Amino acid sequence: STGYTTLDPGFVNTASTKSAITYIDGANGILRYRGYPIEQLAQKSTFIEVSYLLIYGELPTAAQLEDFTNRIRRHTMLHEDLKRFFDGFPRNAHPMPVLSSAVNALSAYYQDSLDPDDADQVELSTIRLLAKLPTIAAYAYKKSVGQPFLYPDNSLNLVENFLRMTFGFPAEPYELDPEIVKALDMLLILHADHEQNCSTSTVRLVGSSDANLFTSISGGINALWGPLHGGANQAVLEMLDRIVAEGGDSADFLRRVKNKEDGVKLMGFGHRVYKNYDPRAAIVKDTAHTILEKLGGGDQLLDIAMGLEEAALADDYFVERKLYPNVDFYTGLIYRAMGFPTRMFTVLFAMGRLPGWIAHWREMHEDPTTKIGRPRQIYTGYTERDYNDIERR
Ligand code: SDX
């Protein structure tokens, strides 16, 4: 039998930590970055400005934003040897392990910016990550489709550069669509931080050992890949495609979810913290209509998604369990309409979440009282017992 040990009085829930970066009120559907409501930032700010806000704590002046933008511009290229890194991956590799491997490899190429106690090195690794992740993400996509890599064009902003490196070709100029750039920029803002979620807690825990920023972020990318977390946006599209393939009967699908048949979940629904509508989902839903009307494609899937949402919000099973659409429910529809394959959706989530991960890692080093301590456990194993020789087992 197993004996339970009582919790020693020193047991503290080390899983929850202090932070001044993001505030979430799950019951009332509130999300604020450094005090600014997500609705205002999504409407008025840009992803690079929000990245500055999350990392340095204040909205930048025009001069600060220009300096930040220029410092990032100078680091968008990868080391030529790191580019060859992609040759080693199979073409059908999912881009998330490619992303986390390449980001971790930055620790090997940029050994002059690994010391978490050196402010200049922390700043340099921050800028290098913000600049290079979009390039690595675009190359992961190009590798998967067997097309040539494009060098960054630093006359473009971060999002424009990423779209051009992803969908452009060396042989012809790439036509940027301002509406697509703006929609993707806004989606990256919505994903930029979210308090102590699974991947951010992973970044903090890895970083709490004084592991460098590159390797800590690589850990966060791996955690994000899980379908219950960042992988959900891919899982939502796979769910919608499955409903279409099985005849498009949403009611039957919801019945199977409620019966918990073979682990079927309503992906993109539910949240560990939001027990009300995820404020990001409301913003994304509006954008989905605009973009899908503009780009077409996905209308049937959007109709099914809206049908599922309407039925679930009126169904006691979901209402009683406080299951509402989260940020992942609609984002995949937009990414798909933009031309991204389903497997790139979580890569886009990682691109958005990067400034938040960096902000949390830096906060932990700037204020050690915000460090996630060594988690303790409630031991439920055997009490002490003596070794018995194999002859007597
Ligand atoms: C993200 O933490 C963050 O902030 C994450 C994130 C971020 O920005 O970083 O917001 C991003 O990860 C959003 C979540 C994306 N994941 C999904 O959409 C996957 C589907 N969702 C579920 O896996 C689930 O809702 C969770 C994991 C997100 C949250 O689970 P909870 O709130 O802890 O609920 P639970 O697992 O304890 O389940 C409670 C009940 C159970 O039913 P009963 O056992 O009571 O009968 O609700 C059911 C669950 O079976 N349930 C679902 C469901 N989610 C929970 N049933 C059907 N479909 C679902 N999606």
Side-chain angles (χ1 to χ4, degrees):
S1 70
T2 64
Y4 282 87
T5 53
T6 53
L7 285 181
D8 66 63
F11 179 82
V12 174
N13 175 4
T14 52
S16 60
T17 64
K18 293 188 312 179
S19 174
I21 299 169
T22 291
Y23 173 74
I24 299 176
D25 176 339
N28 297 302
I30 293 171
L31 169 59
R32 299 184 195 128
Y33 297 161
R34 301 285 188 181
Y36 295 99
I38 191 65
E39 294 81 4
Q40 293 181 28
L41 293 172
Q43 193 183 4
K44 300 176 179 176
S45 188
T46 61
F47 177 58
I48 195 156
E49 183 180 73
V50 165
S51 299
Y52 186 100
L53 170 66
L54 287 168
I55 292 168
Y56 303 107
E58 298 295 341
L59 285 170
T61 62
Q64 287 168 329
L65 184 60
E66 187 183 357
D67 166 65
F68 185 59
T69 303
N70 290 335
R71 283 190 292 138
I72 289 172
R73 276 205 176 106
R74 278 204 301 275
H75 289 278
T76 51
M77 283 178 63
L78 299 189
H79 190 291
E80 283 298 302
D81 291 347
L82 181 52
K83 270 180 64 191
R84 278 188 278 280
F85 206 79
F86 292 83
D87 298 342
F89 284 99
R91 264 201 48 196
N92 64 349
H94 193 290
M96 283 299 276
V98 175
L99 191 74
S100 71
S101 307
V103 165
N104 201 37
L106 295 174
S107 314
Y109 287 87
Y110 300 107
Q111 300 184 40
D112 60 342
S113 57
L114 302 182
D115 182 352
D117 296 324
D118 179 318
D120 292 337
Q121 293 192 33
V122 168
E123 189 60 21
L124 184 50
S125 54
T126 295
I127 296 298
R128 278 172 165 155
L129 266 168
L130 292 167
K132 297 179 191 306
L133 194 86
T135 307
I136 293 170
Y139 288 3
Y141 170 71
K142 283 300 192 191
K143 168 72 186 184
S144 72
V145 291
Q147 292 170 3
F149 293 4
L150 285 183
Y151 284 105
D153 170 354
N154 290 338
S155 68
L156 302 174
N157 74 32
L158 204 81
V159 173
E160 292 167 341
N161 226 340
F162 168 67
L163 285 168
R164 179 186 155 276
M165 288 189 285
T166 302
F167 296 123
F169 292 92
E172 55 202 45
Y174 176 69
E175 196 68 30
L176 281 162
D177 179 331
E179 266 195 271
I180 299 300
V181 172
K182 183 167 175 13
L184 182 54
D185 193 281
M186 189 271 289
L187 287 171
L188 295 174
I189 289 173
L190 294 180
H191 286 84
D193 192 49
H194 212 242
E195 200 222 61
Q196 306 292 332
N197 58 83
C198 174
S199 54
T200 301
S201 298
T202 302
V203 169
R204 291 175 75 106
L205 203 52
V206 173
S208 69
S209 72
D210 273 2
N212 70 69
L213 180 59
F214 300 126
T215 204
S216 302
I217 297 298
S218 176
I221 294 170
N222 292 321
L224 188 73
W225 191 14
L228 298 188
H229 185 22
N233 53 19
Q234 172 177 335
V236 169
L237 258 293
E238 289 163 351
M239 172 185 75
L240 295 174
D241 282 336
R242 175 179 170 183
I243 292 171
V244 170
E246 292 169 353
D249 185 346
S250 307
D252 178 58
F253 180 78
L254 284 183
R255 181 188 56 73
R256 300 212 322 261
V257 168
K258 294 193 285 185
N259 292 338
K260 299 188 183 189
E261 287 177 22
D262 57 307
V264 172
K265 279 185 180 273
L266 184 54
M267 299 311 279
F269 257 67
H271 199 277
R272 295 259 189 251
V273 177
Y274 288 126
K275 298 308 175 186
N276 196 320
Y277 213 94
D278 180 336
R280 302 166 297 176
I283 299 168
V284 174
K285 183 177 177 182
D286 293 342
T287 307
H289 282 282
T290 313
I291 289 293
L292 291 174
E293 267 160 36
K294 172 186 173 59
L295 296 177
D299 285 347
Q300 184 189 14
L301 296 183
L302 178 62
D303 292 343
I304 289 178
M306 287 175 57
L308 281 172
E309 179 189 15
E310 190 182 342
L313 294 182
D315 188 314
D316 289 346
Y317 179 91
F318 296 94
V319 175
E320 283 161 7
R321 291 169 175 78
K322 300 184 185 303
L323 300 176
Y324 297 91
N326 59 50
V327 67
D328 294 307
F329 190 62
Y330 284 105
T331 43
L333 287 166
I334 300 172
Y335 295 148
R336 181 182 188 139
M338 288 177 176
F340 292 102
T342 311
R343 298 176 110 192
M344 279 294 286
F345 293 1
T346 311
V347 170
L348 294 166
F349 192 143
M351 270 177 58
R353 186 53 51 88
L354 179 64
W357 286 332
I358 293 172
H360 280 270
W361 187 92
R362 288 172 63 126
E363 179 184 62
M364 175 181 65
H365 283 287
E366 287 152 13
D367 175 2
T369 66
T370 67
K371 266 193 175 184
I372 292 180
R374 181 200 179 286
R376 291 307 309 277
Q377 64 173 23
I378 297 173
Y379 177 69
T380 58
Y382 286 100
T383 51
E384 185 177 358
R385 54 181 175 162
D386 292 329
Y387 180 88
N388 52 345
D389 297 332
I390 193 162
E391 296 76 21
R392 290 193 291 115
R393 288 177 206 160

